[in-house]
Amino acid sequence: MRLTKQVIQQLLNQNEGFKRTKSFTSKNSSYDNYYEIVNGDLHVRSVGKTSWADSRYDTGTVADEDRTRRFLRDNLHLLNTDGLGD
């Protein structure tokens, strides 16, 4: 399935409230990304820390089109795709 702007928006609209968490841990860094589809946008909250002093962070943003496309492609098997490709 090709994720055009129209298909992306339809997926976001059909999957309002969908949530997913992705975590990463390495020797010098760890973070959790919390994804949620709200009002037709993909919201991303990143919470993490690095090995540097005072390096904790907690940021939130609305994902741009490229990040949204990657998220949808990676999670397509979990999303409601009814009516796509008609």
PDB file of all heavy atoms in Angstrom, residues 1 5 19 22 29-30 35-36 41 46 50 53 60 65 72 86:
ATOM      1  N   MET A   1       0.841  -1.167   0.000  1.00  0.00           N
ATOM      2  CA  MET A   1       0.000   0.000   0.000  1.00  0.00           C
ATOM      3  C   MET A   1       0.890   1.236   0.000  1.00  0.00           C
ATOM      4  O   MET A   1       1.825   1.342   0.782  1.00  0.00           O
ATOM      5  CB  MET A   1      -0.892  -0.009   1.245  1.00  0.00           C
ATOM      6  CG  MET A   1      -1.666   1.248   1.428  1.00  0.00           C
ATOM      7  SD  MET A   1      -2.626   1.318   2.950  1.00  0.00           S
ATOM      8  CE  MET A   1      -3.357  -0.272   3.004  1.00  0.00           C
ATOM      9  N   LYS A   5      -0.397  11.249   1.003  1.00  0.00           N
ATOM     10  CA  LYS A   5      -0.939  12.163   2.017  1.00  0.00           C
ATOM     11  C   LYS A   5      -2.384  11.823   2.346  1.00  0.00           C
ATOM     12  O   LYS A   5      -2.789  11.846   3.505  1.00  0.00           O
ATOM     13  CB  LYS A   5      -0.852  13.608   1.522  1.00  0.00           C
ATOM     14  CG  LYS A   5       0.520  14.190   1.592  1.00  0.00           C
ATOM     15  CD  LYS A   5       0.490  15.650   1.199  1.00  0.00           C
ATOM     16  CE  LYS A   5       1.889  16.227   1.277  1.00  0.00           C
ATOM     17  NZ  LYS A   5       1.894  17.679   1.061  1.00  0.00           N
ATOM     18  N   LYS A  19      -2.395   4.050  20.496  1.00  0.00           N
ATOM     19  CA  LYS A  19      -1.186   4.350  21.271  1.00  0.00           C
ATOM     20  C   LYS A  19      -0.163   3.253  21.083  1.00  0.00           C
ATOM     21  O   LYS A  19      -0.502   2.074  20.962  1.00  0.00           O
ATOM     22  CB  LYS A  19      -1.507   4.462  22.763  1.00  0.00           C
ATOM     23  CG  LYS A  19      -2.405   5.602  23.115  1.00  0.00           C
ATOM     24  CD  LYS A  19      -2.685   5.613  24.604  1.00  0.00           C
ATOM     25  CE  LYS A  19      -3.634   6.731  24.969  1.00  0.00           C
ATOM     26  NZ  LYS A  19      -3.899   6.784  26.409  1.00  0.00           N
ATOM     27  N   LYS A  22       7.681   2.812  22.214  1.00  0.00           N
ATOM     28  CA  LYS A  22       8.903   2.197  21.705  1.00  0.00           C
ATOM     29  C   LYS A  22      10.054   2.642  22.604  1.00  0.00           C
ATOM     30  O   LYS A  22      10.187   3.826  22.912  1.00  0.00           O
ATOM     31  CB  LYS A  22       9.146   2.643  20.265  1.00  0.00           C
ATOM     32  CG  LYS A  22      10.095   1.778  19.518  1.00  0.00           C
ATOM     33  CD  LYS A  22      10.044   2.092  18.037  1.00  0.00           C
ATOM     34  CE  LYS A  22      10.791   1.040  17.269  1.00  0.00           C
ATOM     35  NZ  LYS A  22      10.842   1.339  15.857  1.00  0.00           N
ATOM     36  N   SER A  29      22.779   5.846  26.843  1.00  0.00           N
ATOM     37  CA  SER A  29      21.522   6.527  26.577  1.00  0.00           C
ATOM     38  C   SER A  29      20.347   5.562  26.700  1.00  0.00           C
ATOM     39  O   SER A  29      20.473   4.383  26.406  1.00  0.00           O
ATOM     40  CB  SER A  29      21.561   7.110  25.157  1.00  0.00           C
ATOM     41  OG  SER A  29      20.346   7.698  24.818  1.00  0.00           O
ATOM     42  N   SER A  30      19.226   6.113  27.117  1.00  0.00           N
ATOM     43  CA  SER A  30      17.988   5.328  27.104  1.00  0.00           C
ATOM     44  C   SER A  30      16.824   6.295  26.941  1.00  0.00           C
ATOM     45  O   SER A  30      16.881   7.433  27.414  1.00  0.00           O
ATOM     46  CB  SER A  30      17.825   4.498  28.368  1.00  0.00           C
ATOM     47  OG  SER A  30      17.666   5.334  29.489  1.00  0.00           O
ATOM     48  N   TYR A  35       3.790   7.241  21.375  1.00  0.00           N
ATOM     49  CA  TYR A  35       3.077   7.709  20.193  1.00  0.00           C
ATOM     50  C   TYR A  35       1.576   7.620  20.454  1.00  0.00           C
ATOM     51  O   TYR A  35       1.105   6.629  21.001  1.00  0.00           O
ATOM     52  CB  TYR A  35       3.409   6.832  18.984  1.00  0.00           C
ATOM     53  CG  TYR A  35       4.859   6.844  18.592  1.00  0.00           C
ATOM     54  CD1 TYR A  35       5.750   5.921  19.111  1.00  0.00           C
ATOM     55  CD2 TYR A  35       5.330   7.775  17.678  1.00  0.00           C
ATOM     56  CE1 TYR A  35       7.085   5.924  18.745  1.00  0.00           C
ATOM     57  CE2 TYR A  35       6.666   7.784  17.299  1.00  0.00           C
ATOM     58  CZ  TYR A  35       7.536   6.858  17.830  1.00  0.00           C
ATOM     59  OH  TYR A  35       8.857   6.864  17.460  1.00  0.00           O
ATOM     60  N   GLU A  36       0.836   8.643  20.018  1.00  0.00           N
ATOM     61  CA  GLU A  36      -0.621   8.614  20.131  1.00  0.00           C
ATOM     62  C   GLU A  36      -1.217   9.419  18.984  1.00  0.00           C
ATOM     63  O   GLU A  36      -0.762  10.526  18.673  1.00  0.00           O
ATOM     64  CB  GLU A  36      -1.085   9.195  21.461  1.00  0.00           C
ATOM     65  CG  GLU A  36      -2.593   9.109  21.633  1.00  0.00           C
ATOM     66  CD  GLU A  36      -3.079   9.552  23.002  1.00  0.00           C
ATOM     67  OE1 GLU A  36      -2.282  10.093  23.786  1.00  0.00           O
ATOM     68  OE2 GLU A  36      -4.266   9.363  23.279  1.00  0.00           O
ATOM     69  N   ASP A  41      -3.631  13.816  14.018  1.00  0.00           N
ATOM     70  CA  ASP A  41      -2.176  14.025  14.030  1.00  0.00           C
ATOM     71  C   ASP A  41      -1.512  12.955  14.883  1.00  0.00           C
ATOM     72  O   ASP A  41      -2.124  12.418  15.801  1.00  0.00           O
ATOM     73  CB  ASP A  41      -1.813  15.389  14.635  1.00  0.00           C
ATOM     74  CG  ASP A  41      -2.213  16.552  13.767  1.00  0.00           C
ATOM     75  OD1 ASP A  41      -2.021  16.473  12.539  1.00  0.00           O
ATOM     76  OD2 ASP A  41      -2.722  17.551  14.316  1.00  0.00           O
ATOM     77  N   SER A  46       8.869  12.106  23.923  1.00  0.00           N
ATOM     78  CA  SER A  46      10.137  11.409  24.165  1.00  0.00           C
ATOM     79  C   SER A  46      10.607  11.713  25.579  1.00  0.00           C
ATOM     80  O   SER A  46      10.737  12.875  25.963  1.00  0.00           O
ATOM     81  CB  SER A  46      11.203  11.873  23.172  1.00  0.00           C
ATOM     82  OG  SER A  46      10.827  11.532  21.863  1.00  0.00           O
ATOM     83  N   THR A  50      20.727  10.609  29.154  1.00  0.00           N
ATOM     84  CA  THR A  50      22.029  10.189  28.631  1.00  0.00           C
ATOM     85  C   THR A  50      22.988  10.071  29.808  1.00  0.00           C
ATOM     86  O   THR A  50      22.608  10.310  30.950  1.00  0.00           O
ATOM     87  CB  THR A  50      22.575  11.209  27.604  1.00  0.00           C
ATOM     88  OG1 THR A  50      22.862  12.436  28.281  1.00  0.00           O
ATOM     89  CG2 THR A  50      21.584  11.443  26.480  1.00  0.00           C
ATOM     90  N   ALA A  53      25.639  14.489  33.111  1.00  0.00           N
ATOM     91  CA  ALA A  53      24.924  15.021  34.263  1.00  0.00           C
ATOM     92  C   ALA A  53      23.804  15.949  33.781  1.00  0.00           C
ATOM     93  O   ALA A  53      23.946  16.643  32.785  1.00  0.00           O
ATOM     94  CB  ALA A  53      25.886  15.794  35.160  1.00  0.00           C
ATOM     95  N   GLY A  60       7.688  16.889  23.841  1.00  0.00           N
ATOM     96  CA  GLY A  60       6.533  16.456  23.069  1.00  0.00           C
ATOM     97  C   GLY A  60       6.423  17.261  21.792  1.00  0.00           C
ATOM     98  O   GLY A  60       6.789  18.437  21.757  1.00  0.00           O
ATOM     99  N   GLU A  65       5.434  14.825   8.406  1.00  0.00           N
ATOM    100  CA  GLU A  65       4.898  13.838   7.469  1.00  0.00           C
ATOM    101  C   GLU A  65       5.793  12.602   7.332  1.00  0.00           C
ATOM    102  O   GLU A  65       5.289  11.477   7.302  1.00  0.00           O
ATOM    103  CB  GLU A  65       4.700  14.483   6.092  1.00  0.00           C
ATOM    104  CG  GLU A  65       4.036  13.564   5.096  1.00  0.00           C
ATOM    105  CD  GLU A  65       3.821  14.229   3.747  1.00  0.00           C
ATOM    106  OE1 GLU A  65       3.826  15.465   3.679  1.00  0.00           O
ATOM    107  OE2 GLU A  65       3.642  13.490   2.760  1.00  0.00           O
ATOM    108  N   LEU A  72       3.376   4.815  10.641  1.00  0.00           N
ATOM    109  CA  LEU A  72       2.242   4.084  10.077  1.00  0.00           C
ATOM    110  C   LEU A  72       2.707   2.829   9.350  1.00  0.00           C
ATOM    111  O   LEU A  72       2.095   1.768   9.481  1.00  0.00           O
ATOM    112  CB  LEU A  72       1.441   4.988   9.135  1.00  0.00           C
ATOM    113  CG  LEU A  72       0.710   6.150   9.807  1.00  0.00           C
ATOM    114  CD1 LEU A  72       0.076   7.040   8.758  1.00  0.00           C
ATOM    115  CD2 LEU A  72      -0.320   5.660  10.809  1.00  0.00           C
ATOM    116  N   ASP A  86      -9.739   1.459  -1.871  1.00  0.00           N
ATOM    117  CA  ASP A  86     -11.009   1.339  -2.616  1.00  0.00           C
ATOM    118  C   ASP A  86     -11.027   2.320  -3.760  1.00  0.00           C
ATOM    119  O   ASP A  86     -10.444   3.323  -3.774  1.00  0.00           O
ATOM    120  CB  ASP A  86     -12.207   1.614  -1.703  1.00  0.00           C
ATOM    121  CG  ASP A  86     -12.387   0.490  -0.684  1.00  0.00           C
ATOM    122  OD1 ASP A  86     -11.721  -0.537  -0.828  1.00  0.00           O
ATOM    123  OD2 ASP A  86     -13.172   0.678   0.253  1.00  0.00           O
TER     124      ASP A  86
END
